[in-house]
Amino acid sequence: MRRTDRLFDIIQILRDGKLHRAQDIAERLEVSVRTIYRDMDTLTASGVPVEGERGVGYMVREQITLPPLNLTPAELEALNLGMAIVAEAADPDLKSAAESLAEKIDTVLPTQVVAEADSWKFAVYPFADAARGLAHMAPIRAAIKSRQKLQLSYRRIDGTPTERTIRPLHMEYWGRVWTLTSWCELRDDFRVFRIDLIETVTPLPELFADEPGKRLSDYDPYG
């Protein structure tokens, strides 16, 4: 399994909010406990709100601490979106202020670079770069609400381009990265896409209805 895939699998395991031992995660993913420890360091450095320690276990906490404030993930999401929108403004002063604010926030979020961070790009993304997929947010949100299929042009972390027809189901924000949980018609299975790696989003005229096995409630990150 590629490290990129394993890190996403770990996020899916931790998203239930329960405490998970490194040994149990290692057995599930068929890697060593030492590898899981390194992966947890990478996730923490990337801004994913993981808490825990070796020998005890790990979980995704409810709050992201931004001293002296405690922000919920939804509040941090709103702050990130707001800065991204202002950064696109024509007013150079506002754009400069948004970029400066993003840099200041970056200094109080977990930002240390860990070994092998380049093998999983979002581990070293600055906070402001989460805005990369901003242009896609509106059509994706609209498609989720209206149950409209989308055509995606997507570029994987290794640079490989792919075209997918999906049923968009749910968007989530993980520290510095947005993900889109979808039913992928090419793979005939659930897939999680990073929104910042989506190049184009095209709404299709076809709508979709809830079908057993293809709904968000059917999605099992451990499957």
Side-chain angles (χ1 to χ4, degrees), residues 100-159:
S100 175
L101 178 58
E103 291 176 1
K104 290 178 180 178
I105 291 174
D106 222 18
T107 64
V108 294
L109 287 175
T111 55
Q112 76 258 31
V113 178
V114 297
E116 301 179 47
D118 279 340
S119 66
W120 197 39
K121 297 289 183 62
F122 101 46
V124 292
Y125 278 1
F127 180 79
D129 282 356
R132 184 187 306 227
L134 177 64
H136 305 315
M137 303 293 281
I140 291 174
R141 287 184 185 275
I144 292 173
K145 185 175 181 179
S146 63
R147 298 182 181 178
Q148 184 175 18
K149 292 185 180 182
L150 296 174
Q151 180 75 30
L152 301 184
S153 294
Y154 188 78
R155 188 169 296 276
R156 299 190 310 211
I157 291 179
D158 63 6

Side-chain angles (χ1 to χ4, degrees), residues 134-190:
L134 177 64
H136 305 315
M137 303 293 281
I140 291 174
R141 287 184 185 275
I144 292 173
K145 185 175 181 179
S146 63
R147 298 182 181 178
Q148 184 175 18
K149 292 185 180 182
L150 296 174
Q151 180 75 30
L152 301 184
S153 294
Y154 188 78
R155 188 169 296 276
R156 299 190 310 211
I157 291 179
D158 63 6
T160 304
T162 182
E163 296 285 330
R164 302 293 180 93
T165 297
I166 65 165
R167 301 181 179 200
L169 301 174
H170 183 62
M171 286 195 300
E172 287 184 286
Y173 184 64
W174 294 93
R176 292 181 176 84
V177 169
W178 291 85
T179 60
L180 171 63
T181 302
S182 309
W183 176 264
C184 178
E185 299 200 341
L186 176 65
R187 301 303 183 191
D188 195 32
D189 201 354
F190 292 101

